[in-house]
Amino acid sequence: MTFRGVEVLKSVDLILAEDTRTSRVLLQHYGVEVPMQSYHIFNEHQKVSQLVERLRAGVCMALITDAGTPGISDPGFLLVREAVKAGVEVECLPGATAFVPALVDSGLSCDRFVFEGFLPHKKGRQTALKALADEERTMVIYESPYRLVKLLEQLMEVMGPERQVSVSREISKVHAETVRGTLEEVHAHFAEGEVRGEIVVILAGKE
């Protein structure tokens, strides 16, 4: 958390939080006593119009998410888009974004990369994987810990076991870990036991 981030959170009229229970712990730690309102993937479509009207009326808001940056595989894009359309000033403060440190830590080329976020769970997943097989840029993929081993198996099927990959989990937390190697090697590591935490997969592009 930056000093500026704390100052902004203390200065706004309302904080929109993905999970108010999670965010309350952080805000109490920094002495932020601003009212909060839940804003997440299940209610953003219902709330966005009302929130934009309040913004246009002069209410100053901050949007925060549980683990990452709003809009990057998290709620936020819809509100930003509609606020911009309504002529409301929007500013993004630098903050936690898992894929940036994961990409740098990977040791793979990071001058050109493509962010894929979460791949489709079922319908369209194989199509998406096959489309990435010929991608020459480094690929950034988010995955659930429960599906990581399966993803690595699917990547081996499509791209071969020797493709280089780096998997980072729990970035910036106590149990942070980055495992690098071929798809086969990294799969063997995570197949040994239960996988936990937020996962970022950095996959080398096709040579």
Side-chain angles (χ1 to χ4, degrees):
M1 175 66 79
T2 63
F3 289 117
R4 186 182 178 201
V6 175
E7 290 173 358
V8 167
L9 290 173
K10 287 183 176 181
S11 69
V12 296
D13 303 309
L14 177 66
I15 295 173
L16 303 176
E18 188 175 8
D19 186 328
T20 55
R21 295 165 300 179
T22 301
S23 297
R24 187 169 287 110
V25 177
L26 177 72
L27 298 180
Q28 287 178 343
H29 177 76
Y30 288 107
V32 179
E33 300 178 352
V34 174
M36 274 193 297
Q37 181 176 324
S38 66
Y39 183 79
H40 46 72
I41 191 171
F42 301 108
N43 69 10
E44 59 179 339
H45 287 275
Q46 291 78 26
K47 289 192 172 185
V48 67
S49 296
Q50 175 198 22
L51 291 172
V52 170
E53 285 305 311
R54 294 185 66 187
L55 287 166
R56 292 182 64 188
V59 177
C60 188
M61 301 180 193
L63 171 63
I64 58 177
T65 50
D66 293 347
T69 296
I72 307 297
S73 293
D74 271 330
F77 158 70
L78 186 62
L79 181 58
V80 170
R81 182 186 69 183
E82 297 306 312
V84 169
K85 282 182 182 179
V88 175
E89 186 68 28
V90 176
E91 183 177 6
C92 177
L93 301 188
T97 304
F99 83 79
V100 174
L103 180 61
V104 174
D105 285 348
S106 72
L108 299 173
S109 174
C110 51
D111 56 340
R112 295 175 68 244
F113 63 91
V114 56
F115 178 75
E116 291 294 323
F118 287 96
L119 299 178
H121 293 176
K122 295 180 181 178
K123 186 178 180 181
R125 189 174 179 87
Q126 281 300 319
T127 302
L129 288 167
K130 289 177 181 177
L132 293 177
D134 292 324
E135 174 60 63
E136 297 180 354
R137 294 168 293 182
T138 301
M139 291 158 273
V140 180
I141 302 169
Y142 283 176
E143 188 53 281
S144 156
Y146 311 109
R147 289 191 295 270
L148 175 63
V149 172
K150 182 65 176 177
L151 172 66
L152 294 171
E153 290 171 357
Q154 292 172 326
L155 290 172
M156 280 194 288
E157 291 172 7
V158 175
M159 303 178 186
E162 297 304 311
R163 183 75 68 96
Q164 290 292 309
V165 68
S166 173
V167 174
S168 295
R169 65 180 194 88
E170 294 293 82
I171 289 173
S172 81
K173 299 179 183 179
V174 176
H175 301 292
E177 177 187 31
T178 294
V179 180
R180 308 171 186 86
T182 65
L183 280 168
E184 187 173 37
E185 291 167 342
V186 175
H187 171 268
H189 173 85
F190 286 106
E192 290 180 352
E194 183 182 5
V195 182
R196 296 182 179 181
E198 302 282 336
I199 304 290
V200 186
V201 177
I202 309 296
L203 184 65
K206 182 179 179 180
E207 294 183 358

